């Protein structure tokens, strides 16, 4: 028997309890994977609390993990037992010691990319590549505003945007995070809880505004992000750490012919070719050191509740992961 965290009711971290589960044999197109590291993300907290109703209860949460292929179902090609793989999925089930999954999700890990690293970098890395290559392709010379620039996605995003030749302005919650953001490539940092970030962006850009804002903070920053855009600028809202963005008048965008997007990674990696196209630069960035390998903090799978508490208390200094 394997073990899994089965969500039976939405609620606080205490609803995450461990149970034995029968995994079974892989069906056509499936793999049976022994999982060795499972990423813990804000998405998981939103699912657990019931904010997102994307996982019906009872259900096994978790969208990101790495492990080793134990058994291969009929019709699967390109994989062998013993292969190390990682995946991200919008269909859940990652909080388990073993699982069945479609082979179509699996990405074989290149040498030099560890399983704990893969299980904590894949979602954030794919999100970064989606944002900078697909949603708003960065051009050399762009000026870019990244909110929560010292956060998990924020740090990778700043590194990639800088590497693509753009200037990065990062907002952060405190001075320690400002240092992290500068180390990740921000030319300018703004303490957005103390300073008026719109005024600072105008000052830094000589009144022009920025070409794109990557905004995962949501409610608290949305209006200011719109105000910070240059003519024909693009506001990419990809998260809501401070709460959902309230409805707004589309005609507001006419003031400077700006645009707003609300992308979700899973819609950008639904096709195998698209997944591979975005995953290749993530693994390359890990191998080259552009995306630094952070040791992170591990919790036993059975103690997933403690990992959620740490994430929600904003105590997480690096990535969090569960070990079966
Ligand atoms: N659209 C997608 O497909 C996709 C994919 C992956 C992740 N995401 C989203 O991207 C965001 C970032 O994910 P992450 O894992 O890298 O998290 P994170 O950025 O490490 O953490 C969120 C950060 O948001 C800032 N923040 C501002 N107001 C906050 C509030 N009221 N409560 C909590 N935090 C607040 C905090 O930074 P400061 O202290 O510096 O303000 C905090 O560290 C999340 O919202 C996640 O859901 C979206």
């Amino acid at each position: 028997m394997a073990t899994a965290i089965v969500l039976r009711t939405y609620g606080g971290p205490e609803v995450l309890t461990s149970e034995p589960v029968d995994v079974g044999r892989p069906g056509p197109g499936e793999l049976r994977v022994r999982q060795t590291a499972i990423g813990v993300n804000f998405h998981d907290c939103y699912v657990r609390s019931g904010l997102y109703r994307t996982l019906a209860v009872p259900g096994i949460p978790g969208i990101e993990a790495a492990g080793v292929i134990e058994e291969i179902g009929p019709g699967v090609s390109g994989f062998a037992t013993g292969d190390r793989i990682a995946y991200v999925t919008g269909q859940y089930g990652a909080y388990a010691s073993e699982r069945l999954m479609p082979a179509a999700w699996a990405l074989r890990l290149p040498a030099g990319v560890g399983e704990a690293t893969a299980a904590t970098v894949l979602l954030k890395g794919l999100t970064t590549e989606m944002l900078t290559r697909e949603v708003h392709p960065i051009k050399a010379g762009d000026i870019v505003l990244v909110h929560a620039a010292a956060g998990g996605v924020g740090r990778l995003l700043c590194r990639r945007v800088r590497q693509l030749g753009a200037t990065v302005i990062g907002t952060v919650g405190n001075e320690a995070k400002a240092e992290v953001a500068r180390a990740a490539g921000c030319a300018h940092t703004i303490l957005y809880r103390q300073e008026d970030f719109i005024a600072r962006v105008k000052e830094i850009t000589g009144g022009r505004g920025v070409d794109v804002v990557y905004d995962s903070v949501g409610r608290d920053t949305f209006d200011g992000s719109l105000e910070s855009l240059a003519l024909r600028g693009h506001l990419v809202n990809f998260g809501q750490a401070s709460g959902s963005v309230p409805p707004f008048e589309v005609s507001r965008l006419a003031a400077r012919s700006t645009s707003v997007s609300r992308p979700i990674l899973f819609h950008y990696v639904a096709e195998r070719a698209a997944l591979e196209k975005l995953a290749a630069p993530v693994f390359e960035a890990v191998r080259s050191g552009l995306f630094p390998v952070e040791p992170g903090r591990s919790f036993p799978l059975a103690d997933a509740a403690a990992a959620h508490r740490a994430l929600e208390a904003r105590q997480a200094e690096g990535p969090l992961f569960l070990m079966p």
Side-chain angles (χ1 to χ4, degrees):
M1 288 290 256
T3 49
I5 301 290
V6 182
L7 191 66
R8 294 199 168 272
T9 177
Y10 303 115
E14 70 286 350
V15 302
L16 299 173
T17 53
S18 167
E19 296 183 17
V21 289
D22 188 4
V23 175
R25 307 284 306 274
E30 286 188 331
L31 305 172
R32 182 165 60 85
V33 176
R34 176 175 54 81
Q35 305 206 113
T36 50
I38 301 154
V40 177
N41 292 288
F42 269 101
H43 184 105
D44 307 345
C45 300
Y46 301 147
V47 166
R48 186 214 69 222
S49 70
L51 176 68
Y52 291 172
R53 294 285 166 131
T54 42
L55 174 69
V57 290
I60 300 173
I63 55 176
E64 173 181 47
V68 177
I69 297 177
E70 295 276 293
E71 193 178 352
I72 294 180
V76 173
S77 58
F79 292 100
T81 53
D83 279 354
R84 299 180 320 122
I85 59 106
Y87 66 90
V88 172
T89 173
Q91 293 176 47
Y92 303 101
Y95 279 25
S97 61
E98 267 186 47
R99 72 170 299 169
L100 301 179
M101 55 176 260
W105 299 350
L107 294 161
R108 199 182 294 100
L109 293 183
V113 179
E115 287 149 46
T117 300
T120 51
V121 83
L122 198 55
L123 175 69
K124 296 174 179 72
L126 288 172
T127 302
T128 293
E129 304 304 342
M130 165 190 78
L131 293 172
T132 56
R133 291 168 197 273
E134 306 285 347
V135 179
H136 184 96
I138 294 293
K139 299 185 304 298
D142 281 350
I143 307 179
V144 178
L145 177 62
V146 175
H147 287 304
V153 177
R155 265 173 290 170
L156 302 188
L157 195 48
C158 292
R159 285 174 181 272
R160 178 60 84 194
V161 169
R162 175 81 197 88
Q163 187 247 347
L164 291 169
T167 300
V168 195
I169 305 170
T171 63
V172 287
N174 58 44
E175 190 48 52
K177 290 187 177 187
E179 240 172 75
V180 172
R182 283 191 288 270
C186 288
H188 309 272
T189 52
I190 302 173
L191 300 179
Y192 60 172
R193 286 191 238 298
Q194 297 163 34
E195 301 176 271
D196 174 350
F197 78 81
I198 310 167
R200 288 272 284 117
V201 166
K202 291 268 151 71
E203 177 192 302
I204 293 165
T205 60
R208 174 186 178 273
V210 297
D211 297 289
V212 56
V213 184
Y214 292 120
D215 186 343
S216 66
V217 172
R219 187 174 54 203
D220 290 355
T221 47
F222 185 84
D223 283 332
S225 296
L226 266 188
E227 289 301 307
S228 302
L229 290 172
L231 282 185
R232 298 171 57 189
H234 187 179
L235 166 51
V236 181
N237 169 244
F238 69 99
Q240 47 191 35
S242 67
S244 313
V245 175
F248 75 103
E249 280 287 337
V250 173
S251 57
R252 280 174 66 193
L253 304 180
R256 283 195 302 287
S257 294
T258 50
S259 56
V260 174
S261 316
R262 203 340 180 164
I264 293 287
L265 174 66
F266 302 119
H267 304 152
Y268 284 77
V269 294
E271 303 292 331
R272 178 76 195 177
L275 172 65
E276 289 179 358
K277 187 174 159 208
L278 290 184
V282 174
F283 292 141
E284 187 45 44
V286 171
R287 280 152 61 101
S288 72
L290 179 68
F291 292 172
V293 173
E294 298 178 80
R297 184 169 162 203
S298 72
F299 295 78
L301 174 62
D303 212 3
H308 277 219
R309 284 191 193 99
L311 193 62
E312 291 180 315
R314 294 160 83 170
Q315 291 167 352
E317 300 224 323
L320 304 183
F321 60 100
L322 306 173
M323 292 186 73

